[in-house]
Amino acid sequence: GDESNTIVVRAPSGEMFHVGGVRTTPLPTVTGLIEDYPPDDRALWLNDAHAAVVAMRVAMNQKKFVSEFHDEFLPQTLEALDGVDQLVLAGNRVAHDAAALVAIRQWLAGGGRLWIMLDRVAPETVALLLEDAWTCQIVDRVSLTTVAIEGVTRETRHVPVEPRDFEEPVEFVRVLPSGVSQSFQINGWPAAFWQRVGDGHVLFTTLAARGWTRPRDPNSHVSDELLFSGVVGVEPFQYLAAEFVRPRETAAVAPEVWRPMLEDQIGYQILSRRTVFGVLGGFCGVLFAAGIVLARCRRLEWLRWIAPGAALTAAAALLLGAHRLKQEVPATVSVGQFAQAAPGTSDVVVTGLAALYHQQQGGEPLAATSGGVVWPDMQGLSGTTRRMVWTDLDRWHWQNLKLPPGVRAAPMQFAARLNRPLEARARFGPEGLTGRLETGPFAQPADALIATPARMRLAIRLKADGTFSAGPSDVLAPGDFVASGLLSDEQRRRQSVYRRLFTAHEDADAVDPPKLFVWAEPLDPGFEFSAADRRAGSALLSIPLAIEPTPPGTRVRIPPAFIPYRAGPGPGEEAFASAYSNRNGRWSDKSGYAENWLRFQMPESLLPLELKRVRLTLNIGGPARRIEIAGVANGERVSLESRLDPVGTLHFDVDRPDVLATDASGGLLLGVLVGPVGDTSTGLTPEGTPEIRDRWKIEYLRLEAEGETQP
């Protein structure tokens, strides 16, 4: 096209090109709104839903701007929502737009935050959007003249709120929730609750928008940047705003994590052993034959010339062979994909990196035929204007893009609708966990593990038919991610990606709900990567693990990875101090005496459960001291076992029925008491014993259990 009329928009940092959407306003986050109203009605400030969205942004010191999707601008692809951090659904227009439903569903599964106003959105629309993930039931709709919002969780119970009376009744939808996390309620019915869908979060509100806001005090001081329609959120609404108005989460596996793995797959081949042995064998054969001939001719001194010449000839042959192989490296495309599956849907969102290798400068443009985006590294391409030209909703190509020779990285993202969903279902039994894995078009699954809320990883034994099993012995040691004694080159590369995935954030190893990660062959995204003679790569799948209830009367064995624990007070106590941090799941160094009371939570799918035996395993390091394991029987603390000078890995077995009785929620309380060696007749720390300065630390602690499910 004609470049004379082209205007290049600079990024805020000054770059002449952009990777991603270009925002015309410097907003920390962008909130989108989809609602129902006639196209000619733009009296937004009289719209309760719009005013509530603005009040939510203002509560978080954000500008009042809300990106509205009108009839003609409903998002049709995942890329159309790239610039949106939160999305509010206050109408049913999306029910008549199949492409928009798929785009929103994929955006949500990839880490978006969606607010659904159930007073304005029909349950049929929610079912079309969330598919099988929508498990709540609408009971009825009522009108309230008095609204008293109450907190449900430990955090929300302390949110101050006063009952309010309304002259015009406020609509309230009464819902029976299932598989959600409630935040607030009204008269015992949910008013606001959350649901996890893939890596995204859905906020449901059942109270109409007017019930969450109040008129703004005209005497309050509000800057010009925060001027809005005249309402502010009540305290519970401001709490919801703090959870909802957040930047969209980035990919769990950053594109750069794939670079070392992909570059290794592109490297040229080396000479084969047969070739090297042949050249060296020929060199030795020439020397041997020449020696025999020269010995008969009595001219052995000529070997001083023949031997170096033969050595130079052999070296030249090896160098020429290596140079030929290096020149014959084909044009290669290697991809690393991270595929995130959303439960209850057939959609999968894939992010990753493509490594493109050409020996000569390539002028063929990158293109797509099924949507998605690819952003090649533009380093070294200054002085030219490159364009990504979209010819349809899911078709585009690059213009004037000439990649220099060598390896060029290109982050990518695309979404796919599979014929059948990616699923992982399992159940506890006598040998541990058994289940079935469905990977759909992702072939040859291998090196799978399960990450759980207990901050442990469990390797699974995967069979060719998709069934798998795992027991207590399959818990991976800290720092290990592949269950193999001798790792292949490919497994070492996979373990490196695993390590970056689980150590990117301090709490990244606490996965709730549990997820199954498995390696497989990559999915064809429909991208055209120039003329590539060779394709390679791998895909890492992230699939939510659905644990089905175990029938009553079944003997079960629970691996430690499915028994999370938290520090808390001991029996009859309110305050507590522990060496274990609930925030990051780490044990800290301690000196002297410390009582660590831990509440172990049994899996919900097994409740009610009668425990028969538990084994507590811990690894502790430090100087000479004494360690005691305590439990609770009939509300009283009892000592179970104690040991002197414990170092290394220790095992404690408990089979007392009175101690193994769990509470109503399936929790078991055990104490780990550590302190200086003292008089065993008076306990761990008799009065007057000075606190020693030598420090000790529990490296890890885990609990496995055996029991029987009850009716």
Side-chain angles (χ1 to χ4, degrees):
D2 183 12
E3 296 188 12
S4 60
N5 296 324
T6 299
I7 299 177
V8 180
V9 180
R10 291 181 179 270
S13 55
E15 289 92 342
M16 296 294 289
F17 62 89
H18 306 275
V19 176
V22 179
R23 290 187 177 180
T24 57
T25 56
L27 298 176
T29 65
V30 173
T31 304
L33 173 63
I34 300 177
E35 59 177 334
D36 295 336
Y37 55 84
D40 57 348
D41 181 11
R42 295 294 184 261
L44 297 181
W45 303 120
L46 301 178
N47 186 297
D48 295 333
H50 185 277
V53 176
V54 173
M56 177 174 278
R57 289 184 57 84
V58 171
M60 298 305 299
N61 294 322
Q62 301 274 335
K63 290 187 177 181
K64 65 180 181 180
F65 175 76
V66 176
S67 178
E68 296 181 76
F69 293 94
H70 304 307
D71 284 327
E72 62 272 26
F73 295 119
L74 279 181
Q76 301 293 301
T77 63
L78 174 63
E79 293 73 36
L81 289 168
D82 264 349
V84 178
D85 298 286
Q86 312 97 32
L87 187 62
V88 182
L89 188 60
N92 297 289
R93 288 189 296 124
V94 294
H96 309 291
D97 193 328
L101 286 171
V102 173
I104 296 173
R105 189 185 307 123
Q106 294 171 346
W107 170 86
L108 173 64
R113 290 180 180 267
L114 177 66
W115 174 14
I116 298 179
M117 299 182 180
L118 288 178
D119 62 299
R120 290 172 172 259
V121 182
E124 294 78 11
T125 301
V126 183
L128 288 173
L129 178 61
L130 302 183
E131 295 185 332
D132 293 342
W134 169 247
T135 58
C136 301
Q137 180 181 354
I138 304 295
V139 177
D140 58 14
R141 296 172 179 265
V142 297
S143 296
L144 302 179
T145 56
T146 300
V147 174
I149 303 175
E150 300 175 351
V152 177
T153 65
R154 182 175 57 182
E155 294 81 8
T156 60
R157 287 195 189 103
H158 304 290
V159 177
V161 63
E162 294 290 337
R164 294 186 298 146
D165 296 326
F166 292 84
E167 294 183 1
E168 181 180 350
V170 180
E171 186 174 8
F172 180 62
V173 183
R174 297 198 290 189
V175 179
L176 292 177
S178 174
V180 302
S181 176
Q182 295 189 47
S183 295
F184 297 97
Q185 65 181 10
I186 297 176
N187 300 330
W189 294 90
F193 54 91
W194 296 85
Q195 183 176 359
R196 186 78 178 263
V197 178
D199 280 354
H201 299 78
V202 184
L203 168 62
F204 293 93
T205 56
T206 57
L207 180 65
R210 287 193 303 116
W212 296 104
T213 60
R214 59 176 175 79
R216 177 173 63 90
D217 184 358
N219 297 322
S220 62
H221 299 285
V222 181
S223 66
D224 293 339
E225 296 292 339
L226 301 180
L227 288 176
F228 54 105
S229 61
V231 299
V232 296
V234 296
E235 285 77 3
F237 192 62
Q238 295 179 15
Y239 177 87
L240 296 176
E243 296 295 320
F244 184 75
V245 184
R246 295 184 177 183
R248 186 184 176 192
E249 297 179 6
T250 57
V253 180
E256 287 302 313
V257 172
W258 298 101
R259 186 185 292 269
M261 183 179 193
L262 302 184
E263 290 180 348
D264 287 347
Q265 294 174 340
I266 290 178
Y268 55 83
Q269 298 179 349
I270 62 174
L271 290 173
S272 65
R273 293 181 179 179
R274 179 179 299 180
T275 302
V276 174
F277 288 154
V279 172
L280 294 179
F283 168 71
C284 295
V286 168
L287 290 182
F288 181 75
I292 294 176
V293 172
L294 292 177
R296 291 179 178 178
C297 298
R298 297 184 178 183
R299 292 288 189 270
L300 285 176
E301 66 274 11
W302 288 7
L303 280 176
R304 73 180 66 177
W305 309 107
I306 294 177
L312 290 175
T313 302
L318 293 176
L319 290 175
L320 288 175
H323 180 72
R324 180 179 59 82
L325 285 179
K326 185 175 181 179
Q327 295 299 318
E328 291 180 355
V329 177
T332 305
V333 174
S334 182
V335 297
Q337 299 176 352
F338 182 67
Q340 299 171 275
T345 73
S346 299
D347 297 297
V348 60
V349 179
V350 182
T351 59
L353 187 73
L356 318 176
Y357 173 77
H358 294 87
Q359 288 192 352
Q360 300 177 353
Q361 183 169 346
E364 298 186 20
L366 302 179
T369 59
S370 303
V373 290
V374 177
W375 300 100
D377 182 7
M378 301 293 182
Q379 185 176 2
L381 301 181
S382 59
T384 61
T385 302
R386 286 82 61 192
R387 296 186 181 89
M388 176 185 277
V389 180
W390 291 77
T391 57
D392 206 338
L393 286 175
D394 54 0
R395 291 178 177 269
W396 54 261
H397 63 273
W398 281 93
Q399 283 186 350
N400 201 27
L401 177 64
K402 297 181 180 180
L403 299 178
V407 180
R408 181 70 49 161
M412 63 180 180
Q413 171 184 308
F414 66 93
R417 183 77 170 173
L418 308 180
N419 293 330
R420 60 181 186 273
L422 304 180
E423 285 187 335
R425 295 185 174 275
R427 177 181 293 174
F428 291 104
E431 302 301 323
L433 191 73
T434 58
R436 172 174 290 275
L437 173 65
E438 293 287 347
T439 58
F442 294 93
Q444 299 182 8
D447 294 329
L449 62 82
I450 296 174
T452 69
R455 302 179 186 270
M456 301 180 202
R457 291 169 291 276
L458 186 70
I460 65 174
R461 299 183 294 274
L462 185 61
K463 298 180 180 179
D465 61 354
T467 59
F468 64 86
S469 60
S473 61
D474 296 310
V475 175
L476 293 169
D480 289 344
F481 303 91
V482 178
S484 178
L486 183 62
L487 302 183
S488 64
D489 291 341
E490 183 67 16
Q491 286 178 320
R492 281 194 293 269
R493 289 191 287 262
R494 290 174 176 177
Q495 178 147 284
S496 176
V497 175
Y498 268 141
R499 184 172 292 109
R500 294 287 296 273
L501 171 63
F502 288 107
T503 59
H505 306 287
E506 187 178 28
D507 59 347
D509 55 351
V511 181
D512 188 15
K515 287 185 179 180
L516 188 148
F517 295 88
V518 60
W519 289 90
E521 295 293 323
L523 189 67
D524 183 9
F527 296 145
E528 297 179 2
F529 293 108
S530 301
D533 300 323
R534 176 174 173 266
R535 292 179 178 267
S538 300
L540 177 58
L541 314 183
S542 171
I543 306 174
L545 178 63
I547 301 180
E548 301 174 341
T550 302
T554 304
R555 188 83 176 196
V556 295
R557 193 176 183 189
I558 313 171
F562 291 93
I563 307 180
Y565 59 86
R566 292 179 60 85
E573 301 176 355
E574 296 183 359
F576 71 95
S578 176
Y580 180 77
S581 171
N582 293 328
R583 183 179 60 85
N584 56 23
R586 305 289 189 269
W587 289 90
S588 58
D589 293 342
K590 296 287 287 186
S591 63
Y593 177 71
E595 290 192 8
N596 308 280
W597 285 93
L598 306 171
R599 182 185 183 277
F600 297 87
Q601 177 62 50
M602 300 300 126
E604 184 180 357
S605 61
L606 297 176
L607 301 181
L609 175 68
E610 180 182 347
L611 291 176
K612 302 295 185 179
R613 186 186 71 89
V614 299
R615 164 168 282 194
L616 184 69
T617 301
L618 60 90
N619 183 286
I620 187 171
R625 61 188 60 255
R626 193 159 187 261
I627 184 170
E628 178 183 351
I629 304 301
V632 180
N634 300 319
E636 299 293 334
R637 184 169 95 173
V638 295
S639 177
L640 300 175
E641 186 177 351
S642 63
R643 298 182 187 178
L644 293 176
D645 300 338
V647 177
T649 302
L650 308 174
H651 302 284
F652 299 89
D653 292 323
V654 182
D655 56 6
R656 287 181 51 172
D658 55 344
V659 174
L660 296 181
T662 60
D663 58 29
S665 301
L668 176 66
L669 190 63
L670 294 176
V672 180
L673 288 60
V674 184
V677 177
D679 183 2
T680 58
S681 64
T682 58
L684 286 175
T685 56
E687 294 183 4
T689 299
E691 182 178 345
I692 61 176
R693 297 183 179 180
D694 295 328
R695 305 187 71 83
W696 55 267
K697 181 180 180 181
I698 295 178
E699 299 297 336
Y700 64 83
L701 182 147
R702 59 186 59 157
L703 184 81
E704 66 177 91
E706 297 180 14
E708 184 175 319
T709 55
Q710 301 299 305

